[in-house]
Each structure stands twice: as C-alpha cells, then as structure tokens.
Amino acid sequence: MNAVTEPETLSELIADCALIPATLKAESLPRPRSAAQPWEVDEACHAQVAELDAYV
C-alpha cells in the first residue's frame, strides 16, 4: 500500500494538481443555484453571536 504524502515543493504540488480528473475541475461542475429567498439574520441567529465580542 502506498502512503499518501504531502507535496514538499511547488513543482510536486503542480504535478499533483495536473492529475485531478477533468470531471472534478471547476469548468465541468454545475453552476450554483440561486437561493429561493435572500438570506436574512433572524433573532435566533443573532442571539448565537450576541456575546461573541466577550470571547474575542
């Protein structure tokens, strides 16, 4: 079994990217659909982050 290793050089990374199948490349992926409704922040969502500044 071959161990998967991280590329150590830019050229190794480029070579790895060249092996990505065409079906997974951005040009062949479907376009995102538009949302049925625009996203809005409701009270429940706002309450989840209301005290966020205290943690930062």
Side-chain angles (χ1 to χ4, degrees):
M1 177 189 235
N2 292 339
V4 177
T5 59
E6 295 293 321
E8 294 182 10
T9 65
L10 186 57
S11 61
E12 287 178 4
L13 179 60
I14 292 169
D16 286 352
C17 291
L19 299 175
I20 296 174
T23 55
L24 296 178
K25 293 186 179 177
E27 302 87 43
S28 62
L29 295 176
R31 304 288 296 165
R33 296 179 295 179
S34 61
Q37 295 178 340
W39 184 78
E40 294 180 13
V41 177
D42 60 11
E43 292 298 319
C45 182
H46 184 266
Q48 290 179 343
V49 295
E51 303 296 323
L52 182 62
D53 288 335
Y55 294 105
V56 179

